[in-house]
Amino acid sequence: STMSYVAMILAIVECGGKAMIVSNEQNITNFKRLLLIHVLCTEFKYYNIALRKLKSGHMNDDDKRMMKLAQSTINEKYMPNLLFAETFDYNITTVRRLCKTANLRGCDVFLYDTFKLDSDGDGQAYIKFINDSKAIFQEVKKSNMAGLMTLQNAMSQNQKRVLDLSVFASAKGV
């Protein structure tokens, strides 16, 4: 999530593109914290506020001053081109509706974080995986946007070097 957000989405927004992030695990506050840390480090070269310190709220006067400067930059440079949405039901119909909303808002990129496999143990996970990803792809393609989906690796598969269905965490197993 963090890599796709910072390396891809923020890079596109910094170049003037518009993006929507749909998250079903992290709330919007987490993405905004990452954005604040990103701006502090890249725009202001200020490294005194780590994510843990930001969450705790224990800031000195210099930290507070830099956070205000960073927030001003975020409001001017990033927020006009960055949209957030939360969905916690893993419903592909909801994701498709949000993709249409992103298109209506003029987005160039649509990020769905985190795509899950919904396995009931009946062996249909692979077919559902294909159908759901195809439905999202078709919606993104109709909208002429770039589409990104993050997938969560199963912890038991971290050292595996081949990417197949068994590597991904399922919605029931997480």
Side-chain angles (χ1 to χ4, degrees):
S1 296
T2 303
M3 190 278 297
S4 60
Y5 179 57
V6 173
M8 295 180 218
I9 298 299
L10 293 184
I12 290 165
V13 170
E14 287 170 351
C15 292
K18 197 168 186 176
M20 176 181 257
I21 299 167
V22 176
S23 178
N24 59 18
E25 288 191 342
Q26 294 192 64
N27 62 23
I28 293 169
T29 304
N30 290 338
F31 283 105
K32 289 184 177 181
R33 282 185 189 132
L34 289 172
L35 178 57
L36 183 61
I37 297 295
H38 173 77
V39 170
L40 285 168
C41 293
T42 59
E43 303 269 337
F44 296 103
K45 308 295 184 225
Y46 189 77
Y47 303 100
N48 294 343
I49 302 176
L51 197 54
R52 182 175 289 165
K53 186 175 183 180
L54 184 61
K55 286 180 182 179
S56 72
H58 300 303
M59 309 284 170
N60 61 33
D61 290 340
D62 197 36
D63 292 341
K64 291 176 184 175
R65 182 180 61 79
M66 291 306 293
M67 282 183 51
K68 283 185 182 180
L69 286 171
Q71 192 59 54
S72 176
T73 299
I74 289 168
N75 290 341
E76 292 172 17
K77 185 176 177 181
Y78 291 88
M79 292 315 288
N81 294 328
L82 196 54
L83 303 171
F84 296 99
E86 292 177 350
T87 176
F88 297 107
D89 59 2
Y90 304 103
N91 187 331
I92 295 305
T93 304
T94 303
V95 175
R96 291 182 72 181
R97 183 181 47 80
L98 289 168
C99 186
K100 289 177 185 176
T101 301
N103 181 42
L104 292 173
R105 296 269 189 102
C107 289
D108 303 303
V109 180
F110 181 82
L111 170 65
Y112 181 46
D113 177 56
T114 298
F115 188 69
K116 294 279 192 175
L117 298 178
D118 190 10
S119 176
D120 293 329
D122 60 358
Q124 296 298 311
Y126 186 69
I127 294 168
K128 186 164 175 29
F129 176 76
I130 290 172
N131 290 336
D132 289 351
S133 60
K134 186 169 43 172
I136 294 171
F137 170 74
Q138 288 171 343
E139 200 61 54
V140 168
K141 186 177 178 183
K142 274 195 295 190
S143 304
N144 199 25
M145 291 187 290
L148 302 168
M149 292 189 299
T150 61
L151 291 159
Q152 184 176 23
N153 284 353
M155 293 302 287
S156 62
Q157 302 293 324
N158 272 352
Q159 300 302 317
K160 193 168 181 180
R161 302 215 184 272
V162 177
L163 189 62
D164 65 13
L165 197 60
S166 68
V167 172
F168 303 117
S170 66
K172 303 287 186 207
V174 175

